[in-house]
Each structure stands twice: as structure tokens, then as C-alpha cells.
């Protein structure tokens, strides 16, 4: 590996220059980013992000922010003002909880995968009394069970992951919303990996805090977090005696959003990119975009199953945005992931939790075509063939 010294650096420690593959450096389109986030971004979005940075308090940016909010409200199914933060999705998970909790309050968290577990960890780290409803991985959270648990204690919020990316399973938010709606409890929903690729009707379903992020179906680079908060949530957020907060304080975000601003410097270029991505969604038609995600994920699931890798979940509504397939005992998911990249520049992922090596996961998010999925399957078939042949030797 080559090394360099930064000119005039007081440090004499050589800095290694990483060797990046040619598929990435020379021909970006041949680097096939097929993760469940971050996703490959459309050329139109890349061009928008490459434009000069705007003043975040100037009239051009205000107009762009307003247009972005307008289009995103449609995708979210809400009339709420939206808040934008420079943050990954996890920042928004923490922000949602820190804004609604007072010391010692209780949370009821539906856990059916790794993202539910993360919510429980965040809740505990904030000092909440966390009760989980544990569903087997691969199962969807059950509204009836949530209703039974809600009747047993006073919960500040029920927390549900709309699209559990670790297992490729979706939650029935209409049913869950119906059992939370007429209680004093808030419904907090993480749709980071779902929004823009599946139906979301925040206001109709009674979702009180909805969080999302830029790098999944919204077809932008990572770094932009999004929050939509109901009136019911606002009455909790603004009450005295809540947890201490500053950067992620929704009271500040709301005061600014009334003026079509953000409290701090937002990731201006990412918002410009998001506006472009949303324009693409609106040009194609939101219903058609959602239908395309459904069709392409089904195509990929069916194709993988035909190659001997069935869906991980056999019981739940499968995700239209994350395809999670079970790897047969004789093969290793990590080997499949590595070989698919080495032979075909195609980046998918396995799992970094208890399913490690036992599943592989693709994103079916954003601007994909039938041809992209056919190519995935073609490369996956070659990869499996290669690994089986190596096993036979
Ligand atoms: C990707 C994802 C997030 C956010 O992850 P970050 O790495 O923090 O951006 C949150 N929830 C779910 C369900 C996700 O799939």
C-alpha cells in the first residue's frame, strides 16, 4: 500500500493511501451498490448534489426546502411540517425518544429484529423503563398483542419498525395505529428503510412520530434525517419536565420550520438532492413507484428461491424494499456476499447479528429496473455455481 505525507503536517506519521477498485474509481456504474442502504443514487440526483452550495438562509434554499417538504408530505401521507437534521437514521431514532420522554417513563417496544433491539437499547440509554414485546425474528409485530400490553401499564409510547431491514418483514401500521390511536400513548414509527418504497399514510394511520433518512428509498447519499410529528406528539414534546436535549430538540425544529428554516446548518446539498429524488418519484407517480418496488422485490425473492435460497420469513408480509433470503446449511452467506463482489462488483450484505452467515440481503430500493434484478439473479446464479463447484472439489 502506498503512503503519503500531508504537506506541512506537523505529524510525520505516513498516511496509507487506500487502494480502491477500478470498478469504483473509473467506471462508477459498474460498481453495483445493491445494499439495503445506502443505495445507488440516480445520475439526476448526483448532478443536483454537485451544484454550488446555497446559503441556508437565502431565498433559493427556502424555496427548495418548501418544495421538498411539500413533495415529501405526499410520500408520508401527512400535512405535518417536517424537520430535517444532519444525521443518520439512528440519530432520528434517538431524537424521537429523547423528545417525548420524561425521566422514568415507560416505553413499549415491538422487537422482531435488529432495529427493534436498537430502539430498546436507545430507550434504556436514555433512562426509560423499556418493556419489549418480543416476536420471533421473521414474524411481524402483532396489533392484538400490542393492545393487550397497552392495557396493562401506562406507556408514553409504542415503538414499531415499519420495515424490519434485518429480516425483510413489514409491520401492519394501519392495524397497530388503530389500537394506539384513542389512548394517551404515542405511536413512534421508524420507516427509514420503507418510506418511498411502500405505502405510508401517517395521518390516516395515526402515526405520531415518523422518522426517515435519505439513504434508502429516497435515493440520496447518507446524512439527512427526517422527522414528522403529529399534534398529539407535539403536546408531549413541549411539556415541561422532559429529558434534556439541544441539537435534536423538536421544539427548536418546529419554531424554525414555521419560518421554513432549520435551527442549525442543514446538509444543504443533500436537501437539494432529495428534492430531485422526490421530483423523480412524483414524475413516475408515487403509486407506480410503490407498485414497482413490490413487483421487483417479488421477482428477486422468486428468483432467489428458484436458486435454492428461500425467503427468511415464512410467516409475514415480505418487505418490498429489503429482500432477506435464507442460506442453505451447506453454504455460507459471508462467502456468497464476498464472491458476488469479487466476481461481479455487486455489493450486497449478510447480517451482523444472530443471523450472521445464515442470510443474505439485497436492497430493492430506489431507481431499479427489471433488468437490474435480472442481472442480480444472473450474477447470483454464477456465484452459487462457483461456490458449489469449489465445495465439490
Ligand atoms: C438503515 C436503517 C436505519 C438507520 O440506520 P443508520 O445507519 O443510522 O442511518 C434505521 N432503521 C432501519 C429500520 C433501517 O433499516
Amino acid at each position: 500500500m502506498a503512503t503519503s505525507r500531508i504537506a506541512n503536517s506537523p505529524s510525520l506519521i505516513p498516511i496509507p493511501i487506500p487502494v480502491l477498485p477500478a470498478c469504483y474509481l473509473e467506471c462508477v456504474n459498474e460498481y453495483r451498490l445493491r445494499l439495503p442502504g445506502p443505495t445507488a443514487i440516480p445520475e439526476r440526483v448526483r448532478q443536483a448534489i454537485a451544484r454550488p452550495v446555497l446559503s441556508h438562509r437565502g431565498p433559493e434554499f427556502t424555496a427548495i426546502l418548501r418544495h421538498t417538504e411539500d413533495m415529501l408530505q405526499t410520500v408520508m401521507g401527512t400535512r405535518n411540517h417536517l424537520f430535517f437534521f444532519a444525521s443518520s437514521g439512528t440519530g432520528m431514532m434517538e431524537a424521537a425518544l429523547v423528545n417525548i420522554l420524561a425521566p422514568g417513563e415507560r416505553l413499549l417496544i415491538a422487537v422482531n429484529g435488529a432495529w427493534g433491539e436498537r430502539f430498546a437499547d436507545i430507550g434504556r440509554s436514555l433512562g426509560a423503563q423499556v418493556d419489549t414485546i418480543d416476536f420471533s425474528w421473521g414474524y411481524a409485530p402483532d396489533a392484538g398483542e400490542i393492545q393487550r400490553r397497552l392495557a396493562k401499564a401506562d406507556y408514553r409510547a409504542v415503538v414499531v419498525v415499519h420495515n424490519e431491514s434485518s429480516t425483510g418483514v413489514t409491520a401492519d401500521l394501519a392495524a397497530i395505529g388503530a389500537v394506539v390511536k384513542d389512548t394517551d400513548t404515542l405511536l413512534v414509527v421508524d420507516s427509514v428503510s420503507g418510506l418511498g418504497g411502500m405505502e405510508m399514510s401517517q395521518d390516516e394511520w395515526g402515526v405520531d412520530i415518523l422518522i426517515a433518512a435519505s439513504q434508502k428509498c429516497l435515493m440520496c447519499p447518507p446524512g439527512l434525517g427526517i422527522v414528522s410529528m403529529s399534534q398529539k406528539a407535539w403536546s408531549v414534546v413541549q411539556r415541561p419536565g422532559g429529558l434534556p436535549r439541544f441539537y435534536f430538540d423538536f421544539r427548536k425544529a418546529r419554531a424554525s420550520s414555521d419560518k421554513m428554516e432549520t435551527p442549525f446548518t442543514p446538509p444543504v446539498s443533500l436537501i437539494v438532492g432529495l428534492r430531485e429524488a422526490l421530483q423523480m418519484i412524483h414524475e413516475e407517480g408515487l403509486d407506480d413507484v410503490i407498485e414497482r418496488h413490490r413487483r421487483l422485490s417479488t421477482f428477486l425473492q422468486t428468483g432467489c428461491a428458484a436458486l435454492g435460497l428461500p425467503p427468511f420469513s415464512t410467516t409475514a408480509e415480505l418487505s418490498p424494499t429489503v429482500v432477506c433470503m435464507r442460506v442453505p446449511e451447506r453454504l455460507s452467506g459471508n462467502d456468497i456476499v464476498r464472491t458476488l463482489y469479487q466476481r461481479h462488483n455487486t455489493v450486497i450484505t449478510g447480517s451482523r447479528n444472530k443471523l450472521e452467515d445464515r442470510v443474505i440481503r439485497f436492497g430493492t430500493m430506489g431507481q431499479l429496473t427489471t433488468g437490474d434484478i435480472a442481472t442480480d439473479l444472473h450474477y447470483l446464479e454464477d456465484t452459487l455455481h462457483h461456490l458449489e463447484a469449489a465445495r465439490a472439489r
Side-chain angles (χ1 to χ4, degrees):
M1 190 179 278
T3 60
S4 74
R5 286 170 212 279
I6 294 179
N8 304 322
S9 165
S11 156
L12 291 177
I13 301 167
I15 300 165
I17 301 171
V19 180
L20 297 174
C23 69
Y24 173 69
L25 288 176
E26 283 152 32
C27 188
V28 169
N29 291 335
E30 292 306 309
Y31 175 80
R32 301 188 72 247
L33 186 63
R34 299 288 299 102
L35 290 175
T39 56
I41 62 177
E43 185 59 22
R44 257 176 83 173
V45 174
R46 293 198 331 123
Q47 297 289 340
I49 289 169
R51 287 187 208 126
V53 173
L54 289 166
S55 160
H56 66 302
R57 304 286 184 224
E60 302 86 358
F61 184 69
T62 304
I64 284 173
L65 194 60
R66 175 168 288 126
H67 189 206
T68 306
E69 181 185 60
D70 252 15
M71 290 190 289
L72 196 51
Q73 282 171 331
T74 307
V75 175
M76 289 181 152
T78 188
R79 301 179 70 87
N80 298 333
H81 265 314
L82 307 182
F83 309 152
F84 298 91
F85 292 93
S87 170
S88 87
T90 304
M92 297 297 92
M93 296 165 75
E94 177 166 348
L97 299 188
V98 80
N99 274 282
I100 58 172
L101 286 168
E105 283 187 332
R106 301 175 83 109
L107 292 174
L108 183 61
I109 301 185
V111 177
N112 63 331
W115 293 99
E117 284 184 350
R118 180 171 295 185
F119 258 121
D121 288 344
I122 294 171
R124 288 186 201 103
S125 77
L126 294 174
Q129 283 193 55
V130 171
D131 291 343
T132 59
I133 316 185
D134 296 289
F135 301 96
S136 295
W137 285 34
Y139 283 70
D142 175 58
E145 189 56 32
I146 290 173
Q147 187 170 34
R148 277 187 288 282
R149 294 288 294 272
L150 272 180
K152 289 192 185 151
D154 268 343
Y155 290 104
R156 173 44 60 215
V158 174
V159 181
V160 176
V161 177
H162 188 197
N163 186 71
E164 189 33 273
S165 316
S166 61
T167 59
V169 160
T170 67
D172 181 351
L173 290 182
I176 294 168
V179 305
V180 183
K181 225 175 201 169
D182 298 321
T183 68
D184 291 334
T185 302
L186 301 177
L187 176 58
V188 173
V189 169
D190 168 347
S191 191
V192 173
S193 69
L195 192 78
M198 54 196 289
E199 191 193 351
M200 171 54 71
S201 301
Q202 177 179 12
D203 294 353
E204 186 191 325
W205 294 341
V207 174
D208 293 301
I209 296 188
L210 175 61
I211 63 159
S214 50
Q215 77 270 27
K216 303 205 176 174
C217 306
L218 297 177
M219 303 187 287
C220 283
L224 176 63
I226 302 154
V227 176
S228 169
M229 173 182 76
S230 73
Q231 200 53 40
K232 180 177 168 188
W234 171 237
S235 61
V236 174
V237 167
Q238 69 173 156
R239 75 198 155 133
L243 292 184
R245 63 210 116 132
F246 191 90
Y247 180 74
F248 284 132
D249 191 335
F250 292 172
R251 293 168 297 189
K252 291 189 180 68
R254 179 171 154 132
S256 294
S257 76
D258 288 344
K259 295 179 286 177
M260 220 55 234
E261 282 189 2
T262 58
F264 314 107
T265 314
V268 168
S269 299
L270 290 181
I271 290 174
V272 171
L274 178 59
R275 184 180 81 120
E276 195 69 29
L278 289 165
Q279 226 161 343
M280 291 175 65
I281 290 174
H282 284 267
E283 283 166 19
E284 184 177 345
L286 181 58
D287 290 346
D288 288 355
V289 169
I290 289 170
E291 171 52 28
R292 178 169 55 76
H293 280 76
R294 168 58 59 205
R295 182 165 46 78
L296 294 184
S297 59
T298 304
F299 179 20
L300 185 56
Q301 285 148 3
T302 312
C304 286
L307 294 173
L309 279 63
F312 172 72
S313 171
T314 53
T315 55
E317 177 84 16
L318 295 183
S319 164
T321 64
V322 183
V323 166
C324 179
M325 309 305 287
R326 196 183 289 275
V327 173
E329 278 305 319
R330 66 179 187 284
L331 292 174
S332 144
N334 294 344
D335 283 352
I336 297 173
V337 170
R338 192 177 334 103
T339 308
L340 194 58
Y341 180 59
Q342 285 168 351
R343 290 174 71 83
H344 298 292
N345 300 332
T346 297
V347 184
I348 64 164
T349 189
S351 176
R352 301 178 63 169
N353 49 53
K354 65 186 183 188
L355 300 181
E356 159 116 44
D357 215 32
R358 298 320 334 142
V359 295
I360 58 168
R361 295 180 305 133
F362 291 80
T364 46
M365 300 167 168
Q367 202 198 26
L368 293 174
T369 63
T370 309
D372 293 318
I373 304 296
T375 305
D376 290 341
L377 289 168
H378 177 55
Y379 291 163
L380 180 62
E381 180 177 33
D382 171 77
T383 295
L384 294 173
H385 189 76
H386 179 81
L387 291 172
E388 296 281 15
R391 241 172 52 82
R393 273 199 297 274

